[in-house]
């Protein structure tokens, strides 16, 4: 709000000066004002070099990284399972659409997939971040876990509703092609949106960056560091 007031005051001042000052003096004043404004803007937006971390701060970050890495590894495996389940789901519907399986087989496959998805979702919910982590790491991880739980729930809902629609006892349509089309409509309506966690991952990467850089420079844990970076890139 203050910046808008200042802008209005500057505009009013320029109008007054334009009216009462000689044209040449006014142009010189405006030029100086623009130069000064550019300098101030440059100073305000210039990147500030962060102060180097103390040995104690580096040690604390390194300890947190040791807590974070196994949790992140488990989380990545669960994300991979979510992806595999969703690929299975699409393959089941694709096989039904191509006429490679009848409705009874499709239903049995969806029942198995629903059971696996429910079990995976329970494991995801139980994979809470270590409470020993500081807020700068724990809070983004808590957001990541919440988003992942929502995504897993949406994926499970889509599979469950498709399984219910494929129940031979409830399916009224007898044409296999039309049956597959009805199941596909459920998939299109219920498919979850993508899982967006790049902002939270970026916060964690920046927090661990000083320690990661020092390891890289010292040549320590080279292979492990590459694995950590690959995990955080996903």
């Amino acid at each position: 709000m203050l910046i808008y007031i200042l802008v209005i005051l500057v505009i009013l001042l320029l109008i007054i000066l334009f009216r009462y000052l000689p044209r040449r003096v006014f142009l010189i004043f405006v030029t100086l004002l623009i130069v000064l404004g550019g300098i101030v803007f440059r100073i305000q937006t210039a990147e500030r070099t962060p102060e180097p971390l103390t040995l104690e701060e580096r040690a604390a970050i390194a300890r947190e990284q040791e807590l974070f890495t196994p949790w992140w590894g488990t989380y990545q495996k669960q994300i991979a399972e979510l992806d595999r389940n969703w690929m299975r789901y699409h393959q089941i519907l694709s096989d039904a659409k191509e006429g490679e399986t009848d409705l009874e087989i499709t239903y049995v496959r969806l029942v198995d997939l629903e059971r696996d998805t429910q079990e995976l979702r329970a494991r995801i919910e139980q994979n809470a971040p270590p409470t020993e982590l500081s807020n700068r790491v724990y809070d983004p991880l808590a957001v990541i876990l919440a988003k992942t739980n929502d995504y897993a729930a949406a994926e499970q809902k889509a599979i469950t509703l498709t399984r219910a629609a494929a129940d031979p006892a409830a399916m009224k349509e007898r044409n296999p092609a039309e049956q597959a089309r009805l199941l596909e409509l459920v998939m299109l309506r219920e498919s979850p949106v993508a899982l967006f966690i790049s902002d939270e991952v970026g916060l964690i990467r920046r927090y661990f960056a000083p320690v990661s850089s020092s390891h890289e420079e010292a040549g320590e844990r080279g292979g492990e560091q590459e694995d950590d970076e690959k995990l955080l890139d996903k």
Side-chain angles (χ1 to χ4, degrees):
M1 185 65 180
L2 182 60
I3 187 65
Y4 295 115
I5 296 175
L6 291 175
V7 170
I8 293 173
L9 291 176
V10 169
I11 293 174
L12 292 175
L13 178 62
L14 290 176
I15 294 173
I16 295 172
L17 293 177
F18 178 77
R19 185 171 183 179
Y20 294 103
L21 286 180
R23 185 176 182 84
R24 184 175 181 181
V25 175
F26 175 77
L27 291 176
I28 294 174
F29 175 80
V30 172
T31 303
L32 292 175
L33 187 63
I34 293 174
V35 172
L36 179 61
I39 293 174
V40 172
F41 178 79
R42 180 71 176 178
I43 293 174
Q44 292 293 328
T45 58
E47 294 185 2
R48 294 181 175 85
T49 304
E51 295 183 4
L53 298 176
T54 64
L55 292 177
E56 291 77 10
E57 289 172 330
R58 287 183 177 275
I61 295 175
R63 286 193 297 270
E64 288 200 85
Q65 196 172 42
E66 291 175 356
L67 293 170
F68 163 81
T69 300
W71 182 92
W72 188 255
T74 300
Y75 172 80
Q76 288 288 12
K77 291 178 181 178
Q78 293 171 344
I79 288 294
E81 287 186 66
L82 271 178
D83 289 342
R84 285 195 295 271
N85 284 350
W86 198 240
M87 291 175 63
R88 283 173 59 191
Y89 175 65
H90 279 272
Q91 187 62 53
I92 291 170
L93 296 188
S94 176
D95 291 344
K97 186 175 182 179
E98 297 297 327
E100 297 182 8
T101 57
D102 57 25
L103 186 63
E104 288 74 14
I105 297 299
T106 298
Y107 178 73
V108 170
R109 293 173 70 184
L110 287 170
V111 169
D112 291 340
L113 178 59
E114 181 184 26
R115 183 185 60 250
D116 293 344
T117 303
Q118 290 172 340
E119 186 272 336
L120 173 58
R121 184 184 173 193
R123 285 191 284 116
I124 290 175
E125 290 178 343
Q126 294 170 1
N127 187 31
T131 55
E132 298 87 351
L133 293 170
S134 68
N135 291 341
R136 293 188 63 182
V137 181
Y138 184 90
D139 290 349
L141 291 185
V143 174
I144 288 174
L145 186 59
K147 289 183 177 181
T148 305
N149 282 331
D150 291 343
Y151 179 86
E155 186 174 294
Q156 180 186 329
K157 179 184 177 183
I159 294 171
T160 297
L161 291 177
T162 308
R163 185 269 305 158
D167 188 346
M171 175 65 75
K172 297 181 180 180
E173 180 62 52
R174 295 301 174 220
N175 186 315
E178 187 63 19
Q179 290 173 349
R181 189 186 72 82
L182 293 175
L183 298 183
E184 187 177 37
L185 287 177
V186 177
M187 181 268 291
L188 293 174
R189 184 178 67 249
E190 300 296 337
S191 291
V193 297
L195 179 60
F196 297 108
I197 58 172
S198 58
D199 291 343
E200 291 76 21
V201 170
L203 291 174
I204 297 170
R205 284 179 62 86
R206 287 191 290 273
Y207 177 72
F208 287 135
V211 173
S212 301
S213 298
S214 65
H215 284 177
E216 198 171 287
E217 291 171 3
E220 299 173 358
R221 297 177 60 207
E224 294 181 17
Q225 181 61 36
E226 289 180 5
D227 293 341
D228 293 344
E229 290 183 354
K230 288 178 183 177
L231 289 175
L232 282 172
D233 283 336
K234 293 183 180 179

